[in-house]
Amino acid sequence: MPNNMYMIPDVFRGKPFFQNQTHFYELQNDAKKTLLQEPFYFDMLSIQQAQHIKNLPWDNPEEFVPVLLNVWKQMMLKAKEGFMKRDRSDSQKKSLLKCISLFIVGLHWVNRRSVQTIIVNSMLINTMQFKPVNCEERLQFIVDNPFQYHAFVQLEQLFEELEKSFYKALAMSKL
């Protein structure tokens, strides 16, 4: 039986995301496999049919964010290897976009929010409790330059800071 197909919500379409893609398919995988395939999956699906989803990732960051961080570490190594090999292939570009997507998703989930837009200055980052320093400006630079090595280095630093604040908040039971 084929998986259900959904339109990618307009709020998720824009440079550099979903430029040539209009649909996404329902996934029946565990969270890790789903995040590897499509980081925005849960957020896009919630816009399509929120009432049918149980155990939303942003309602349970203590369960889902560690999975997301593990996926990031796996994707980051692959992306770094691509930079070392000077790989400019479509597969490297897709990998880099997934890395950026994972950060956007992680930032929202840590703050118990779903992603409502991929437009950085519309994300209301400054209203989030847990975020890296100068997050909005740094994320905008990354989104504007998704395939540059300097943007990737910045993304690594953002992830490190987000991970620290997540585990600090978890330890203090503020989530």
Side-chain angles (χ1 to χ4, degrees):
M1 185 164 103
N3 290 343
N4 291 332
M5 183 171 69
Y6 301 98
M7 292 287 293
I8 293 173
D10 287 343
V11 293
F12 283 87
R13 297 181 54 134
K15 220 170 183 185
F17 305 103
F18 304 112
Q19 298 280 279
N20 303 311
Q21 192 179 340
T22 57
H23 294 82
F24 70 102
Y25 294 91
E26 187 171 0
L27 301 172
Q28 303 295 331
N29 300 327
D30 62 28
K32 182 177 180 179
K33 287 181 184 170
T34 298
L35 286 168
L36 278 167
Q37 284 181 268
E38 178 46 67
F40 290 124
Y41 176 78
F42 296 105
D43 303 87
M44 289 191 305
L45 192 62
S46 78
I47 288 173
Q48 301 285 339
Q49 56 173 33
Q51 69 279 7
H52 298 303
I53 305 174
K54 294 171 183 71
N55 197 18
L56 294 166
W58 47 91
D59 290 339
N60 301 291
E62 54 285 329
E63 179 184 339
F64 286 93
V65 171
V67 173
L68 182 139
L69 291 170
N70 284 333
V71 170
W72 150 250
K73 288 171 185 166
Q74 188 178 338
M75 296 288 302
M76 177 213 22
L77 293 174
K78 188 174 162 189
K80 265 187 173 175
E81 191 178 303
F83 276 116
M84 288 172 56
K85 293 179 178 176
R86 300 195 187 280
D87 181 0
R88 301 214 183 272
S89 69
D90 283 347
S91 124
Q92 171 72 353
K93 288 178 179 178
K94 282 181 186 169
S95 181
L96 291 169
L97 289 177
K98 280 186 182 175
C99 287
I100 297 166
S101 302
L102 284 168
F103 178 78
I104 292 169
V105 168
L107 177 66
H108 284 77
W109 292 2
V110 164
N111 287 283
R112 295 185 165 276
R113 298 179 183 184
S114 65
V115 178
Q116 296 294 310
T117 180
I118 52 127
I119 298 166
V120 176
N121 64 7
S122 297
M123 289 181 190
L124 304 175
I125 293 171
N126 293 332
T127 66
M128 295 179 181
Q129 184 177 1
F130 306 107
K131 62 186 177 286
V133 175
N134 297 328
C135 185
E136 187 171 328
E137 296 82 5
R138 293 161 73 191
L139 182 56
Q140 188 64 62
F141 170 76
I142 293 163
V143 169
D144 289 344
N145 305 285
F147 312 122
Q148 288 184 8
Y149 181 70
H150 293 297
F152 182 75
V153 169
Q154 189 67 245
L155 184 63
E156 280 186 289
Q157 292 169 350
L158 284 175
F159 257 110
E160 279 178 31
E161 292 172 44
L162 184 65
E163 183 174 16
K164 284 178 189 170
S165 65
F166 168 70
Y167 285 115
K168 180 180 175 186
L170 202 58
M172 295 169 64
S173 297
K174 285 187 176 179
L175 284 175

